[in-house]
Amino acid sequence: MRAILLAAGRGSRLGELTEEEPKCRTMLLGKRLIDRQLEALRAAGIREIAIVRGYRAERIQVEDVTYYTNAQWSDTNMVASLCCAASWLEQGPCLVSYTDIVYSQSAIELLLRGAPDADIAIPYSTQWRALWEARFDDPLTDAETFRLTANGDVAEIGGVPATLEEVEGQFMGLLRLTPAGWRTIRKFLDGCSASEQARMDVTSLLAGLLGQGEAIAALPYEGLWLEVDRASDLHLYEQRYRRVL
């Protein structure tokens, strides 16, 4: 199994922390975010890793990885970065990871073994609410809808929830794709305009696939997962998660 890290963006909401560094090189308790992801992947046995770079690409230097470049990083979103690694996605199954998140080896192991027949699979955090209550005054702030079908697949993702009942978990920024899953995505994107493709994020992509009746397997995850979006997140995690990080 290969893994692709999407590290093209700057992360402007982190302010001066990303003036000279891409977001993935943000420090959390003495370790860069991207190094934490690489450690989790390698601990789970992933040896072939690609990184899609963009903003301050020269600052991302890792041994024994393949690089792709999203030269349009300032005008595009995550899906455009994913498309830069199309050659890998066409060749064999791949794990895909955001680079502004923190997770443990167990999250990767779950994604490797869960729903083995699925062409598109995502883990979701069942413990999201405690994290959101610590980050926001209202846990519905910045949360997205996430609902499951009767058989446990994804039924809805990426909307704006009005109630907590609409949030059965949170997408973690991790997914697994087979070549067939990637072909399904390419077919969907071919039906979108260039501007739609450029601004599309992964949750919007997944929601679009669901809208066309495609199946997305959902894997419940109870372990460590953090999202780094603002400087206040870093301060919170340094205080609350020091023992586990």
Side-chain angles (χ1 to χ4, degrees), residues 9-102:
R10 174 184 173 182
S12 58
R13 289 170 68 174
L14 283 172
E16 63 181 17
L17 293 176
T18 57
E19 286 182 1
E20 301 296 331
E21 297 276 13
K23 187 178 183 182
C24 68
R25 280 178 54 82
T26 300
M27 296 291 290
L28 174 59
L29 290 172
K31 190 177 295 185
R32 300 194 186 279
L33 295 180
I34 193 169
D35 291 333
R36 293 180 178 277
Q37 294 139 20
L38 290 166
E39 286 180 1
L41 288 165
R42 287 168 173 159
I46 305 296
R47 294 294 176 260
E48 291 188 83
I49 298 173
I51 301 176
V52 182
R53 302 183 295 183
Y55 174 68
R56 298 304 302 268
E58 76 284 354
R59 297 293 298 157
I60 302 175
Q61 299 292 335
V62 179
E63 292 184 0
D64 299 322
V65 303
T66 298
Y67 292 115
Y68 293 98
T69 301
N70 179 359
Q72 305 300 317
W73 64 267
S74 62
D75 300 312
T76 59
N77 211 324
M78 287 280 198
V79 171
S81 292
L82 181 63
C83 290
C84 293
S87 62
W88 268 30
L89 293 160
E90 293 164 356
Q91 291 171 11
C94 291
L95 304 186
V96 179
S97 173
Y98 290 5
T99 53
D100 59 355
I101 54 178
V102 177

Side-chain angles (χ1 to χ4, degrees), residues 65-205:
V65 303
T66 298
Y67 292 115
Y68 293 98
T69 301
N70 179 359
Q72 305 300 317
W73 64 267
S74 62
D75 300 312
T76 59
N77 211 324
M78 287 280 198
V79 171
S81 292
L82 181 63
C83 290
C84 293
S87 62
W88 268 30
L89 293 160
E90 293 164 356
Q91 291 171 11
C94 291
L95 304 186
V96 179
S97 173
Y98 290 5
T99 53
D100 59 355
I101 54 178
V102 177
Y103 47 82
S104 65
Q105 172 185 345
S106 61
I108 302 302
E109 291 172 341
L110 172 65
L111 198 48
L112 287 173
R113 69 172 184 266
D117 296 328
D119 289 318
I120 305 174
I122 63 172
Y124 66 95
S125 174
T126 61
Q127 306 301 310
W128 74 275
R129 184 171 174 179
L131 179 60
W132 256 244
E133 287 177 341
R135 297 174 67 200
F136 306 104
D137 292 335
D138 179 357
L140 288 178
T141 300
D142 201 53
E144 297 178 328
T145 58
F146 190 91
R147 290 178 178 269
L148 301 170
T149 65
N151 67 355
D153 287 345
V154 183
E156 179 185 348
I157 190 171
V160 178
T163 66
L164 288 171
E165 286 68 31
E166 298 174 78
V167 189
E168 297 182 50
Q170 281 294 277
F171 173 56
M172 297 167 54
L174 288 165
L175 60 158
R176 189 188 74 229
L177 301 174
T178 66
W182 175 243
R183 288 193 295 271
T184 297
I185 289 172
R186 278 297 350 160
K187 182 178 179 181
F188 171 78
L189 292 176
D190 288 343
C192 300
S193 68
S195 61
E196 287 173 330
Q197 291 187 43
R199 64 174 179 265
M200 189 177 295
D201 59 25
V202 174
T203 51
S204 297
L205 169 65

Side-chain angles (χ1 to χ4, degrees), residues 220-241:
Y221 177 69
E222 298 181 357
L224 174 70
W225 171 67
L226 304 173
E227 175 188 76
V228 177
D229 199 27
R230 305 167 301 168
S232 59
D233 292 329
L234 295 171
H235 298 319
L236 172 68
Y237 303 156
E238 287 167 355
Q239 295 169 3
R240 292 202 174 196
Y241 294 92

